[in-house]
Amino acid sequence: MGKILEINGPLVKLELPQTVLGEQVRVGRMGLIGEVIGRAGDTALAQLYEDTTGLRPGEDAEGLGWPLSVELGPGLLGGIFDGVQRPLQAMRERSGDRIAHGVAVASLSRTQRWHFVPEPARRAGTRLAGGDVLGFVQETESIRHRILTPPQIEGELLELAPEGDHSVEEVIGRVRLADGRIEKLHLFHRWPVRTPRPFRQRDHAVAPLITGQRILDTFYPLLKGGKAAIPGPFGAGKTMLQHQVARWCDAQIVIYVGCGERGNELTDILESMPELKDPYTGRSLMERTLLVANTSNMPVVAREASIYVGITLAEYFRDQGYDVVMVADSTSRWAEALREVSGRLGQMPVEEGYPAYLGSRLAAFYERAGRVETLAGDHGSVTLIGAVSPPGGDFSEPVTSHTKEIVQTFWALSKELADARHYPAVDWLESFSGDVNSAAKWWAEHVHPNWQAARAAALGLLAESEELQRVVNLVGVEALSSEQRWALESARLIKEGLLQQAATDEADSFASPEKQYALLAALLEIHRRGMDLVQLGAPAQRLIQMPLLAQARRWKSQHGSDDLAGLQAKIAAVPQAFEPLLLEYASTRQPAGAGEARP
Amino acid sequence: MRNVEFRTAASAQGGLVVMAGVAGVAAGSRVQLRDHAGRVRSGLVIRSAADNVVVEVFEGTDEIDLERTWVRFLGEPFRLPVSRDILGRVFNGSGQPTDGRPPIISADRRDINGEPLNPSARAYPREFIQTGISAIDGMNSLTRGQKLPIFSGGGLPHNRVAAQIVRQAKLLGEEAADFVVVFAAFGASHADARFFQESFEESGVLNKVVMFLNLADEPVIERLLTPRAALTAAEYLAFDLDYHVLVVMTDMTAYAEALREVAVLRGDVPARKGYPGYLYSDLAEIYERAGRIKNRRGSITLIPVLSMPSDDITHPIPDLTGYITEGQIVLGRELSGEGVYPPVTVLPSLSRLMKDGIGKNFTREDHPHVASQLFASYAKALEVRGLAAIIGAEELSDADRHALAFADAFERRFINQGEDEDRSIHETLNLAWDLLSMLPKDALTRVSEEQLAKYHKGTA
């Protein structure tokens, strides 16, 4: 037993001999929890996860003997936990609407009973290795929670409970380890959050993560097991885009970490997710979702931990063979928490007050994403999507610039687009994806062989229009040739009819890959047909006035992904719309560019 | 410990006093200092060790004499006594009455720092508040429980806009009976404070207002307490007494500057522009106290006013505020210069909660589409205006000329309105359709064809 020597904000100096760096400590009469971050002789420096107001020097402190760990077992899904995995719903029942000091509630319910079904292959006397599946609990209608052997255990299975109901703490089996010790097995185990969970080997990522968002899937794809960043100034729609990804992506498990962000955003998820249907399973989206929340008014030290809690939970579901998406909103707040603590420790700041190890910490965190072969021989993945909140929208600041070097997919949000209410405000020039070729294989196989060419054509048109717009801004639209004016109009059509997507519109909020491609191909078809006409001598002005262009902009919201036939019917009528003009100009056969004047 | 006075000040410098030989003082507890002249100052324990304690003194350490300073540790954080009687009262920045009436006596004394709300206890704000201002109601709607700041600059009419919101804000189909205002000013001028006081008086709501005033010539460090005291009062009114509370705070820039001043004294590592790295968390502790709670009737809607230094929206104060609040109303110098009131620059303005508080069951079914269309059409029209400035209006196409006319009418008729003009949301939306009807139907792709048929007044 030790005691408190000094209190300085969230940092507490303790007299606590023989503690280990990273060990959890319980401090003071209030029983606040924290972790040891430094030692000198018999004194230890600890950072506490809660507000230290009211703590006094001289009060007791004790080491708990383990590092910050999470409980992994049934009861996680559909829940909301704080930055150190305390269950917020259970805490509300315990201490009311506000988070009181020093409340200790176990992460997983100790009373709830789960129906455990053992794996037939696990018979007494067989070898058992870490990561092996002991059996399963049907946690929700759509998710079968596989009960895993803790990774560090290897030995002979002595017994395993038959099918039946158990609480998480009941012993469901026993193993004799190599050194003869007997280890008990439970429905859950603990894992330290700062240690990546082991796997057999890393795998190639093969399939894109389908988010149902056209600008992401079609233009800047992210693979399952990949790393992506969403940087953007405030008001550019970061949170909205992340909510959309969390709602509609085709992962089996979604972990949403609200790190230093608004409380109402988590409320929004908690209230809206149960009512939304998973487009892949037809079940409530909340069944596959888990929230970790350290909102901006909750203590900063737990903010630093929340990201690691989230990624460890993600790895645990990956180890069960699932494709997991973890959304971290926002990694900038995590970095700021790091900065705050390092500042209190008196460490030498480098850029904008951040500690020198910011880049390496970020890189190590993102490396926990990936598609792997699990210890049990399954395949699972963790896809990591981190929001970045650059101060003043300046992408050259340290967190954004480090992140940009780490991720493969970069969805840059633009203030200009957001101001013009072009949502999602993903900037098609600033963004990038290093996975287009891998994604192209999947699209060619599952949707259409021409995907990559169509994507390139659309991007080419967008880039060209950017050039043309510059000319227009200098000397006016009259300076452009008819071809150029039509290219400009086609790019506008792609922006409004394809890239813009309304999250609040039921038909438009999610677009299946098939719908995405159909729209893309149709808009390019309009562009091509128009260009043919222009080359026959039709003035761009007449094409721009075609009612088809306004109609095509509404297609996305008139036909949901389940009404592909309706969309196809409209697309099939495109050639007809060009028919009158074609008749007019094909007969005159003027050479290209010679007929600006109306006939 | 409360009754013991220590005379062991070991050093005093820049607002901080170190007390030697004092043991076991609770971190964050309140302190009273009595100096040789008998003046009482208050402070806070910011660092507590086994044999010494660092105290931050709110009134500063000027004229402190180490040998003749008596210090009392109160053993508890700053608390505000609350009761129904706070309505209609005026307090200073740390919660002492300054209106000449007796102090509030109550057994219910609350820690002004509050406790963070459990995110699972929040209820999502969904009820549309009609402010009667078209630029806000139509395009950046406020909902009950939202935190929506006004970003302004020196010389812009943010106080008048805030006062107009206070006068006109109402929920559709509900009388104003349960509605109260908590007003907090820090670093504000006496003229500003009087303006608000008179505006509340004129509209007859003075007995429903609680004021916390720390004016420009009052202690700077006290500003750190003012918003917290105000929000403690607001929380009591909203969640104990079921009132709908509108909190107006001005000016957050003065608050952040006070925070920077204290951070420098403490020796904290500065991040951007000398502001401490924890400015974000600190602002969040204030802003996040707005909201609604499940199964409680009351709500706290927060309208902080902040002036952007040099009109720079990327300055750390508006920047970090924007990352925490649920949108922002941006006032612009250009519109103001053209005589438009309220000079709301709609493109950078935003209400994040708008989407959930408007539409069929709240305002009118076409509202979300109309708002989106107004934004798109106005953004496009501004592009045309920029182009016209270069190549001249004569060179513009017919479509572009329509757009220009729309932009002018939008600013003159939609954004611009009287300071006493209280437009209903239906008036606002009808006005929007009047303006959109200046544009051909083909140019309006954000509204549905049915809405065009129903509301568009043009022929094209």
Side-chain angles (χ1 to χ4, degrees):
Chain A
M1 194 61 98
K3 64 173 188 181
I4 302 175
L5 297 175
E6 186 182 328
I7 304 137
N8 179 14
L11 290 187
V12 177
K13 196 189 264 181
L14 307 171
E15 185 185 294
L16 194 66
Q18 289 171 358
T19 179
V20 183
L21 281 185
E23 185 179 350
Q24 297 277 288
V25 286
R26 185 182 290 131
V27 172
R29 233 167 283 161
M30 290 181 282
L32 306 184
I33 302 291
E35 74 182 85
V36 176
I37 54 172
R39 275 200 60 186
D42 280 350
T43 63
L45 196 61
Q47 54 178 1
L48 302 194
Y49 302 130
E50 291 182 76
D51 183 20
T52 52
T53 300
L55 222 51
R56 293 166 195 273
E59 288 185 350
D60 289 343
E62 59 171 330
L64 298 179
W66 59 74
L68 176 60
S69 306
V70 285
E71 292 187 355
L72 303 169
L76 291 169
L77 293 172
I80 174 166
F81 300 90
D82 78 354
V84 288
Q85 211 205 5
R86 292 187 298 179
L88 286 168
Q89 280 140 336
M91 280 176 66
R92 183 167 171 239
E93 284 159 27
R94 176 81 65 90
S95 70
D97 293 335
R98 295 186 185 271
I99 299 173
H101 263 56
V103 179
V105 183
S107 303
L108 297 175
S109 163
R110 294 298 190 259
T111 50
Q112 183 158 9
R113 299 182 75 75
W114 299 96
H115 190 74
F116 172 69
V117 182
E119 177 80 26
R122 304 273 168 256
R123 288 183 306 272
T126 56
R127 300 286 311 159
L128 190 70
D132 281 347
V133 178
L134 294 169
F136 70 84
V137 163
Q138 193 72 40
E139 185 170 349
T140 68
E141 201 71 48
S142 51
I143 298 295
R144 181 170 280 199
H145 193 121
R146 299 191 175 89
I147 305 301
L148 301 179
T149 312
Q152 73 281 8
I153 282 185
E154 185 158 6
E156 182 195 345
L157 183 65
L158 296 177
E159 61 171 327
L160 185 64
E163 184 171 340
D165 292 352
H166 300 278
S167 68
V168 290
E169 271 183 327
E170 284 173 23
V171 176
I172 58 158
R174 288 184 305 133
V175 189
R176 181 185 292 125
L177 307 181
D179 58 7
R181 280 189 299 125
I182 308 279
E183 186 84 29
K184 291 172 188 153
L185 299 171
H186 307 271
L187 285 179
F188 83 110
H189 63 271
R190 287 200 176 82
W191 189 261
V193 299
R194 295 186 205 276
T195 313
R197 284 175 64 87
F199 45 81
R200 257 188 219 168
Q201 60 176 12
R202 283 185 186 268
D203 260 350
H204 286 294
V206 285
L209 180 79
I210 299 301
T211 64
Q213 310 306 303
R214 292 183 291 265
I215 178 80
L216 308 187
D217 296 351
T218 298
F219 290 93
Y220 299 102
L222 169 66
L223 297 185
K224 283 183 182 134
K227 313 174 259 200
I230 309 182
F234 70 83
K238 267 190 312 297
T239 302
M240 200 63 196
L241 187 60
Q242 294 195 88
H243 282 198
Q244 284 296 88
V245 171
R247 278 176 189 148
W248 303 125
C249 73
D250 63 342
Q252 288 140 320
I253 305 283
V254 174
I255 298 185
Y256 194 98
V257 182
C259 174
E261 292 291 312
R262 306 174 184 91
N264 276 334
E265 288 171 0
L266 294 156
T267 310
D268 187 18
I269 298 185
L270 281 175
E271 288 187 7
S272 69
M273 285 284 207
E275 282 159 29
L276 293 170
K277 290 251 180 311
D278 184 338
Y280 309 96
T281 63
R283 302 286 312 170
S284 155
L285 277 176
M286 202 62 206
E287 288 187 6
R288 65 164 200 185
T289 310
L290 186 168
L291 304 178
V292 177
N294 176 281
T295 54
S296 54
N297 56 338
M298 287 159 79
V300 167
V301 177
R303 190 166 307 162
E304 200 268 332
S306 66
I307 288 274
Y308 291 105
V309 166
I311 192 78
T312 308
L313 294 169
E315 287 176 341
Y316 171 65
F317 284 102
R318 172 203 71 191
D319 291 347
Q320 297 176 40
Y322 288 120
D323 288 320
V324 185
V325 164
M326 169 168 153
V327 176
D329 185 14
S330 143
T331 56
S332 294
R333 305 301 164 221
W334 169 78
E336 284 166 9
L338 212 62
R339 172 171 72 185
E340 201 169 323
V341 174
S342 96
R344 286 190 198 270
L345 290 175
Q347 289 166 343
M348 178 74 89
V350 284
E351 288 168 280
E352 302 209 2
Y354 287 106
Y357 47 78
L358 171 68
S360 55
R361 289 273 175 96
L362 264 175
F365 163 66
Y366 273 102
E367 271 316 297
R368 290 177 76 170
R371 183 166 180 268
V372 304
E373 186 183 336
T374 66
L375 292 178
D378 283 331
H379 296 276
S381 68
V382 173
T383 311
L384 198 46
I385 301 171
V388 187
S389 320
D394 170 15
F395 284 9
S396 68
E397 62 92 36
V399 182
T400 317
S401 58
H402 282 300
T403 304
K404 199 171 179 177
E405 285 163 23
I406 296 165
V407 298
Q408 299 132 338
T409 301
F410 193 70
W411 293 323
L413 299 186
S414 142
K415 182 84 180 138
E416 284 72 37
L417 289 175
D419 281 355
R421 298 314 192 255
H422 174 114
Y423 290 127
V426 178
D427 188 323
W428 47 88
L429 298 174
E430 280 271 323
S431 302
F432 62 77
S433 165
D435 293 327
V436 176
N437 289 335
S438 312
K441 285 192 197 122
W442 183 92
W443 281 84
E445 202 176 306
H446 293 86
V447 182
H448 199 279
N450 200 35
W451 176 81
Q452 196 164 10
R455 171 186 179 275
L459 276 177
L461 205 50
L462 289 170
E464 187 190 347
S465 83
E466 216 66 30
E467 290 287 322
L468 295 175
Q469 194 62 49
R470 263 195 285 275
V471 175
V472 171
N473 288 348
L474 282 177
V475 289
V477 75
E478 302 301 328
L480 298 185
S481 70
S482 247
E483 275 101 340
Q484 288 172 324
R485 286 181 70 174
W486 178 242
L488 199 58
E489 183 61 27
S490 303
R492 200 170 287 151
L493 179 62
I494 287 175
K495 288 176 206 168
E496 292 173 22
L498 186 73
L499 301 186
Q500 286 183 6
Q501 193 167 352
T504 48
D505 182 328
E506 213 170 299
D508 197 25
S509 190
F510 168 81
S512 68
E514 290 74 20
K515 178 179 169 182
Q516 297 189 25
Y517 181 75
L519 272 174
L520 171 67
L523 300 185
L524 287 172
E525 167 85 0
I526 291 175
H527 168 65
R528 193 183 58 76
R529 286 189 178 265
M531 200 51 99
D532 285 351
L533 271 170
V534 169
Q535 275 158 1
L536 283 173
Q541 195 53 42
R542 287 202 60 190
L543 290 166
I544 290 168
Q545 285 162 351
M546 284 171 65
L548 174 68
L549 299 187
Q551 288 157 6
R553 284 167 162 84
R554 293 205 181 90
W555 286 344
K556 57 182 183 183
S557 53
Q558 283 168 337
H559 303 282
S561 297
D562 49 357
D563 180 26
L564 211 57
L567 179 62
Q568 299 284 17
K570 293 232 170 98
I571 292 170
V574 167
Q576 270 173 24
F578 283 95
E579 205 64 29
L581 279 171
L582 194 64
L583 281 175
E584 194 177 320
Y585 286 94
S587 53
T588 56
R589 289 213 164 269
Q590 284 170 322
E596 276 301 322
R598 287 187 189 189
Chain B
M1 190 137 213
R2 282 184 67 100
N3 302 318
V4 183
E5 281 196 327
F6 292 87
R7 211 185 62 178
T8 52
S11 77
Q13 193 185 9
L16 301 183
V17 171
V18 177
M19 299 294 297
V22 183
V25 176
S29 92
R30 206 181 144 190
V31 175
Q32 266 180 5
L33 274 88
R34 194 160 54 83
D35 62 18
H36 56 277
R39 279 173 303 196
V40 175
R41 311 183 196 205
S42 47
L44 206 61
V45 173
I46 61 166
R47 187 171 180 151
S48 175
D51 54 352
N52 71 66
V53 167
V54 181
V55 176
E56 184 173 281
V57 184
F58 290 111
E59 289 85 353
T61 45
D62 289 351
E63 295 176 47
I64 284 226
D65 176 350
L66 292 182
E67 287 72 34
R68 288 185 295 161
T69 296
W70 292 267
V71 177
R72 191 193 290 264
F73 295 94
L74 301 181
E76 59 167 27
F78 258 93
R79 288 179 192 274
L80 183 78
V82 288
S83 84
R84 202 175 279 275
D85 301 335
I86 58 175
L87 281 172
R89 299 294 305 271
V90 182
F91 302 93
N92 72 4
S94 50
Q96 311 295 325
T98 55
D99 51 5
R101 289 159 60 191
I104 301 290
I105 308 288
S106 170
D108 194 353
R109 297 168 65 251
R110 304 208 170 170
D111 180 354
I112 62 162
N113 290 308
E115 279 176 331
L117 194 57
N118 186 326
S120 70
R122 277 186 191 272
Y124 195 72
R126 289 185 198 281
E127 299 158 292
F128 171 78
I129 295 181
Q130 180 179 298
T131 65
I133 298 174
S134 291
I136 296 177
D137 291 351
M139 302 175 74
N140 299 290
S141 316
L142 179 65
T143 58
R144 188 164 264 181
Q146 185 173 9
K147 37 194 182 291
L148 189 65
I150 297 176
F151 284 10
S152 185
L156 293 178
H158 42 264
N159 288 343
R160 284 158 60 200
V161 176
Q164 187 173 3
I165 293 175
V166 168
R167 280 198 308 272
Q168 299 181 351
K170 57 175 149 309
L171 209 66
L172 289 184
E174 192 188 85
E175 79 285 23
D178 305 335
F179 174 79
V180 297
V181 176
V182 171
F183 176 77
F186 14 97
S189 67
H190 286 268
D192 286 348
R194 189 174 322 117
F195 167 79
F196 276 102
Q197 215 153 358
E198 283 170 2
S199 146
F200 296 145
E201 226 164 286
E202 274 166 32
S203 48
V205 293
L206 202 54
N207 59 344
K208 291 191 165 190
V209 179
V210 190
M211 298 183 99
F212 291 84
L213 303 178
N214 164 286
L215 299 177
D217 52 358
E218 288 174 322
V220 169
I221 303 184
E222 195 182 82
R223 278 168 212 172
L224 301 186
L225 301 179
T226 313
R228 293 181 167 81
L231 284 161
T232 303
E235 281 174 353
Y236 169 75
L237 292 168
F239 302 127
D240 287 57
L241 302 185
D242 289 346
Y243 282 110
H244 292 295
V245 186
L246 186 64
V247 181
V248 176
M249 301 202 293
T250 179
D251 173 335
M252 292 310 293
T253 303
Y255 172 83
E257 280 164 0
L259 190 73
R260 174 168 68 179
E261 205 173 314
V262 174
V264 170
L265 294 179
R266 287 182 183 180
D268 293 333
V269 177
R272 285 173 68 216
K273 299 210 175 183
Y275 290 94
Y278 51 80
L279 177 60
Y280 176 83
S281 310
D282 194 278
L283 288 174
E285 279 175 19
I286 294 172
Y287 296 142
E288 280 285 318
R289 288 171 80 169
R292 294 177 55 218
I293 301 181
K294 283 178 191 155
N295 306 324
R296 307 269 184 114
R297 282 193 52 221
S299 64
I300 298 179
T301 308
L302 179 59
I303 303 187
V305 176
L306 68 86
S307 48
M308 299 182 281
S310 330
D311 291 352
D312 176 11
I313 199 168
T314 67
H315 184 281
I317 301 168
D319 189 50
L320 295 179
T321 296
Y323 275 120
I324 306 163
T325 53
E326 285 137 353
Q328 64 277 337
I329 304 292
V330 183
L331 303 188
R333 210 164 285 281
E334 205 174 314
L335 279 178
S336 182
E338 286 165 15
V340 174
Y341 172 90
V344 176
T345 318
V346 293
L347 294 190
S349 298
L350 170 74
S351 165
R352 293 164 189 276
L353 303 184
M354 176 174 181
K355 61 184 189 340
D356 300 298
I358 61 168
K360 203 160 87 192
N361 299 322
F362 303 97
T363 53
R364 205 166 85 182
E365 90 289 351
D366 57 328
H367 190 169
H369 301 97
V370 168
S372 167
Q373 187 63 59
L374 283 174
F375 274 116
S377 297
Y378 183 58
K380 195 160 174 222
L382 286 187
E383 264 176 44
V384 173
R385 191 183 275 173
L387 185 62
I390 296 163
I391 60 168
E394 300 75 34
E395 301 288 317
L396 294 178
S397 66
D398 278 352
D400 285 352
R401 263 194 283 270
H402 284 306
L404 265 192
F406 168 79
D408 292 338
F410 175 78
E411 289 167 3
R412 290 275 146 217
R413 291 171 55 197
F414 189 84
I415 298 184
N416 191 34
Q417 70 182 80
E419 219 172 314
D420 293 313
E421 189 179 352
D422 189 356
R423 291 184 191 156
S424 76
I425 183 63
H426 283 267
E427 284 170 330
T428 292
L429 290 173
N430 291 341
L431 178 59
W433 276 109
D434 284 350
L435 299 172
L436 289 175
S437 299
M438 297 171 69
L439 299 169
K441 283 183 180 174
D442 278 353
L444 307 175
T445 54
R446 306 256 175 138
V447 289
S448 72
E449 277 161 1
E450 299 80 62
Q451 287 161 356
L452 277 178
K454 189 167 170 192
Y455 297 109
H456 194 273
K457 298 183 176 76
T459 45

